[in-house]
Amino acid sequence: MLDRLLNRHLPAGWRIELRNGWPLLFIPLLLFMQLLGPSPIWVALLISLIGLYAISYFWVRNQVLQLFFERHREGAMLVVGDSLQERFVVRNDSTLPLHWLEFADRSLLPGYNPRQVVSCGGGSSYQWRAEAHCTQRGVFRLGPHTLRTGDPFGFFSLEVVDSRSESLLVYPRVAHIPALALPRGSLSGQDRRRRAHTGSERSQAVRAYQPGDSLRHVHWPTSAKQGELVVTDVETEPSGDLWIVLDVNRLVQSGKGEESSLETGIVLAASVAAEFLSGGERRSVGLLAAPAAEASFVQTEGEFALDQQFLPEASPAGNDTGAWSSNGERSRLQTPSSLLVDVPPQPGKGQVWRILAALAPVTAGSLSLGELLRRSRGLFSAGQTVLAITPDIGDGVEDWTAELLHLRRAGVPASVLAVTPATAGAGGNPVAGDGTTAIQPDETPADSLTQDHLEVEPETGPDLTSEDVQANLIDILARYEIPLRFLQAGTRLTPALTYRRTRTVLRTTPSGGVVAHEIEEEVG
């Protein structure tokens, strides 16, 4: 009843609370003393006590709707390594001063705590700044926040709860990467086309019509004889759209923090996308990954949404089946362990930020690279190129190699960027070459290769060294002419996204004064 009385006609989010009510216990005592022995002293004490509570309540009630708070975030886009800066402004339009005002923030950005206690006179304002260093990529929450103030006597407190919050997207780093060996056709020079090049000469082979095939390639005599549309194959230059397939299976990850293979793989995926979308060789680039379902994603201009179309083909193990989308949407699997990130290939620098936004909240999932490629066969089309970024260079090599060979049979060549553990080069640096030494493929035709046909005996055992594992992988991929390159996790790469900023540095003089210097620096 007292709470309803104190907060009567207050707007939503504003609340007055009685903090110290024990002096009110003297009111019945003073009344009893007045009845026993009437005296002006008891009356004066009673009036003083009631008057203090009335003045205190009027003080905090006067602040209602007279207190304004604003927070402004400076900088639209943040990359790991940048600094988040916020400016806070408190304005008191009341005639009574704010002796103290506590700002409590519930932001989830690691290492960011802009909590502050300030004071503000009547009809004036106060502002301050807070800064945090963004050390992790991801989607974080700024806000909500709470303002608390009270009367000078400490009897009542006024609390203002602002439930609004803002999503902060911290993009992964983009760095300069070593040259990659991607499969190419017979054309010379750099291919600056954004679509696969299709030759004008038809081949002798025919195949069933697929949605998207041009009707001018239909072989009408054979179609009339078989009763269904049949098209002739054309010579396709395998250097068109690029799919970046990122392996985030938690079972093959190693290391922690920036030295982990997961973070290195994400930086490599972001860097490859930036290189081929805005560098010298322009292509359409897409992204495919299967992170954990508990990853929080930011809705950016309607680019991503959840889809509930279930994949008709079930997993051989009977688990991890679920919703997969082939139209650029992310969809949740039936089990809460994996989520598909599917960004279709598109050209232009705007695609860089779409891919960075999709990579920012990625966490380790439970789907292997081989299973991801198997389930996503429908996403790839002839003439595209797949770049697999994976730390799985051990037991799972046969699985995902078989899937890459299946894609090559469908006209989708592949290249591999293998991430070795940060501790793998204790006796020397990991293989720095591109791993593309030409080795004649096995006599088994590539078109008939499956996982059962891979005549590879992986070197497994407790004494297997990292050099043996890498040599085994080189042997497997070189045998089937799949380009390969190694990169050690935690390798320091030169940042590709840099900008110049002005920073103010305060320095003291021998006489005790303070001098402000502005320095320009390049960060990234």
Side-chain angles (χ1 to χ4, degrees):
M1 183 183 299
L2 178 62
D3 185 73
R4 291 197 299 268
L5 180 64
L6 294 177
N7 294 279
R8 187 178 182 183
H9 302 307
L10 285 186
W14 297 71
R15 185 172 182 270
I16 297 178
E17 182 181 1
L18 179 64
R19 296 183 61 191
N20 292 320
W22 61 268
L24 294 176
L25 299 177
F26 287 100
I27 293 180
L29 178 61
L30 293 175
L31 290 176
F32 180 73
M33 296 296 295
Q34 179 65 17
L35 292 176
L36 288 180
S39 171
I41 298 178
W42 310 128
V43 177
L45 291 176
L46 183 62
I47 294 176
S48 299
L49 183 59
I50 296 176
L52 283 176
Y53 271 90
I55 293 174
S56 300
Y57 179 74
F58 172 77
W59 191 293
V60 296
R61 186 82 185 197
N62 181 260
Q63 304 292 342
V64 176
L65 298 180
Q66 303 294 322
L67 181 62
F68 299 92
F69 179 80
E70 300 175 359
R71 63 187 302 174
H72 304 279
R73 180 164 66 94
E74 299 179 357
M77 294 181 293
L78 295 173
V79 181
V80 172
D82 293 347
S83 294
L84 167 70
Q85 295 184 352
E86 276 195 299
R87 181 169 58 91
F88 305 92
V89 180
V90 174
R91 190 174 81 250
N92 179 22
D93 289 349
S94 172
T95 56
L96 299 176
L98 283 172
H99 289 285
W100 63 273
L101 175 70
E102 179 188 5
F103 167 72
D105 186 57
R106 297 200 296 273
S107 298
L108 298 181
L109 181 66
Y112 185 52
N113 184 18
R115 182 176 182 141
Q116 191 84 355
V117 178
V118 301
S119 61
C120 186
S124 62
S125 62
Y126 182 85
Q127 64 177 341
W128 75 95
R129 293 177 180 270
E131 184 176 354
H133 188 64
C134 299
T135 58
Q136 299 180 18
R137 57 168 180 84
V139 180
F140 305 101
R141 189 189 70 198
L142 294 181
H145 59 261
T146 303
L147 300 175
R148 296 186 183 91
T149 186
D151 62 277
F153 305 104
F155 291 150
F156 296 93
S157 66
L158 174 64
E159 183 178 84
V160 185
V161 178
D162 191 339
S163 59
R164 294 175 298 177
S165 61
E166 178 186 4
S167 293
L168 175 67
L169 183 62
V170 180
Y171 296 98
R173 292 189 302 110
V174 177
H176 292 291
I177 57 175
L180 297 177
L182 297 182
R184 297 183 180 276
S186 59
L187 294 185
S188 61
Q190 289 187 339
D191 184 10
R192 295 178 179 270
R193 283 177 298 274
R194 292 173 181 167
R195 295 185 179 274
H197 171 74
T198 302
S200 58
E201 296 295 332
R202 299 186 180 185
S203 66
Q204 299 298 323
V206 295
R207 58 175 175 84
Y209 174 84
Q210 296 180 356
D213 289 338
S214 176
L215 292 178
R216 66 188 181 93
H217 295 149
V218 175
H219 195 276
W220 296 109
T222 306
S223 299
K225 185 180 299 184
Q226 296 187 4
E228 60 181 6
L229 289 179
V230 176
V231 297
T232 56
D233 275 338
V234 293
E235 298 296 334
T236 302
E237 167 70 12
S239 56
D241 298 348
L242 174 64
W243 274 99
I244 300 174
V245 181
L246 179 62
D247 183 8
V248 294
N249 183 15
R250 63 170 57 94
L251 298 180
V252 297
Q253 305 299 329
S254 61
K256 296 181 180 179
E258 293 295 325
E259 304 292 329
S260 67
S261 58
L262 176 63
E263 292 301 319
T264 302
I266 290 175
V267 171
L268 289 176
S271 304
V272 170
E275 173 66 23
F276 285 94
L277 285 168
S278 58
E281 183 178 352
R282 303 293 180 89
R283 293 196 189 191
S284 295
V285 180
L287 174 69
L288 182 66
E294 61 267 17
S296 59
F297 291 94
V298 121
Q299 202 78 7
T300 55
E301 301 180 359
E303 288 293 338
F304 306 113
L306 293 180
D307 185 28
Q308 297 300 329
Q309 300 174 356
F310 290 101
L311 183 72
E313 184 179 2
S315 171
N319 55 8
D320 281 342
T321 60
W324 291 79
S325 169
S326 60
N327 57 356
E329 297 179 345
R330 290 180 291 199
S331 50
R332 189 178 298 274
L333 300 175
Q334 287 179 349
T335 56
S337 57
S338 297
L339 191 72
L340 176 67
V341 176
D342 169 19
V343 183
Q346 291 185 17
K349 294 184 178 180
Q351 179 74 348
V352 177
W353 298 106
R354 297 187 191 100
I355 292 179
L356 292 182
L359 286 171
V362 166
T363 56
S366 59
L367 208 63
S368 66
L369 176 60
E371 185 68 14
L372 175 62
L373 291 171
R374 189 188 69 82
R375 297 188 181 189
S376 306
R377 291 176 180 176
L379 294 179
F380 311 117
S381 58
Q384 295 179 334
T385 303
V386 168
L387 173 62
I389 302 176
T390 177
D392 186 6
I393 59 177
D395 297 336
V397 169
E398 291 187 20
D399 189 21
W400 56 259
T401 302
E403 291 302 321
L404 293 183
L405 294 175
H406 177 86
L407 291 177
R408 188 171 69 179
R409 183 183 60 183
V412 183
S415 181
V416 177
L417 182 55
V419 181
T420 60
T423 57
N429 293 330
V431 178
D434 55 13
T436 57
T437 304
I439 296 181
Q440 295 297 327
D442 193 40
E443 295 179 358
T444 305
D447 292 346
S448 62
L449 287 173
T450 61
Q451 186 173 351
D452 296 334
H453 292 94
L454 284 177
E455 300 178 0
V456 176
E457 297 181 359
E459 301 178 18
T460 58
D463 298 330
L464 190 64
T465 64
S466 60
E467 290 78 6
D468 296 333
V469 173
Q470 294 179 22
N472 183 55
L473 179 60
I474 292 175
D475 179 66
I476 294 175
L477 298 187
R479 181 177 302 182
Y480 301 107
E481 296 182 327
I482 298 178
L484 169 66
R485 188 179 183 93
F486 288 100
L487 189 71
Q488 189 176 10
T491 301
R492 301 303 177 186
L493 301 173
T494 305
L497 291 180
T498 60
Y499 63 94
R500 299 193 67 84
R501 69 179 179 187
T502 302
R503 185 165 56 94
T504 302
V505 178
L506 300 179
R507 296 178 179 175
T508 58
T509 62
S511 60
V514 178
V515 179
H517 295 275
E518 289 189 352
I519 58 175
E520 281 194 357
E521 58 184 1
E522 187 174 86
V523 295

